[in-house]
Amino acid sequence: MFLVIDALSAAAEPTRRRILQLLASQPRTVSSIAAEFTVTRSAISQHLLLLAEVGLVTAEKVGRERIYRVVPDGLRQLQAEIDRFWTAELDLLVADAHALKSQRIERDH
Amino acid sequence: MFLVIDALSAAAEPTRRRILQLLASQPRTVSSIAAEFTVTRSAISQHLLLLAEVGLVTAEKVGRERIYRVVPDGLRQLQAEIDRFWTAELDLLVADAHALKSQRIERDH
DNA sequence: AAAACACGTTAGGCGTTACTAACGCATTCC
DNA sequence: GGAATGCGTTAGTAACGCCTAACGTGTTTT
């Protein structure tokens, strides 16, 4: 059904980002999550299935509901991927941007 | 040509991630970047155009070449988006994962 | 017990994406 | 100057992603 992709690509999608944030504060059912969005339950369900595929969430079947929760270990892997991407060089460039901004502010005063 | 998307979605794509990392260490031409990948110049060019669209890189025309470089301010925005996504709750869950891991290690010794 | 209802998933469609092939244009070489 | 080469972009295409509609299944209600 899904092509397995990496955690970062999976988590980057705007809707899935919000889903992860919601689930971070507390486990939820599909419908409960869908209530926070304009798209259908179905769409949310599929996002959750994808997130499960890459190990960022798991579902616990309770009656006819599925309680989805984030998997801490999956999050760790996601964080690791982000860290691997965000190299020291990128960090330096951001620092430069900050410096330039400060300079601009000082000049404008 | 491109639908404008957010910096995080743009940067998350695996090829574009690597492109950004390459450009972080030094500005480069399209061909120079393409040499590091298996896909064609054309594909790389399009990734660069997309990255430019969301303000993560810019091109400087020099002769028949385009020298692409990262835009520090764009990177700052990307970092801000990542930070906005990575809420305190997610951080806590990761910390839990670490704690569990330590426990497991101790138990296994 | 079965009808109505509610939950999550699967099937199918449409727009987008990521790619190669073909192109236009600038530069170099003869 | 013109042919050949090399650069980046545009044109076109197959595959993918995200969505709604239809479905299967479990649960409540009467």
Side-chain angles (χ1 to χ4, degrees), chain B:
Chain B
M1 178 189 186
F2 288 119
L3 227 65
V4 187
I5 53 172
D6 57 302
L8 183 46
S9 304
E13 201 279 330
T15 304
R16 288 195 286 269
R17 262 188 259 174
R18 283 188 55 204
I19 291 177
L20 283 173
Q21 291 181 321
L22 275 175
L23 287 182
S25 65
Q26 61 170 316
R28 280 170 175 268
T29 63
V30 178
S31 292
S32 156
I33 298 167
E36 310 274 346
F37 293 81
T38 56
V39 296
T40 58
R41 265 193 343 266
S42 175
I44 300 300
S45 169
Q46 288 170 69
H47 281 304
L48 286 166
L49 289 171
L50 175 65
L51 288 172
E53 193 80 11
V54 298
L56 284 170
V57 305
T58 39
E60 174 196 357
K61 194 174 176 180
V62 175
R64 64 179 165 182
E65 306 192 332
R66 305 290 152 90
I67 300 178
Y68 276 92
R69 37 171 54 84
V70 287
V71 177
D73 231 30
L75 276 187
R76 280 190 57 233
Q77 197 181 324
L78 173 59
Q79 196 178 41
E81 267 178 44
I82 293 174
D83 289 350
R84 209 171 313 133
F85 161 67
W86 200 270
T87 59
E89 275 120 355
L90 286 168
D91 224 26
L92 271 173
L93 287 165
V94 171
D96 286 352
H98 275 122
L100 284 169
K101 193 152 216 171
S102 307
Q103 259 180 266
R104 263 200 306 280
I105 290 165
E106 276 174 35
R107 170 170 54 70
D108 294 348
H109 273 216

Side-chain angles (χ1 to χ4, degrees), chain A residues 62-75:
Chain A
V62 175
R64 64 181 166 183
E65 305 192 333
R66 305 290 152 91
I67 300 177
Y68 276 92
R69 37 172 53 85
V70 286
V71 177
D73 230 31
L75 275 187

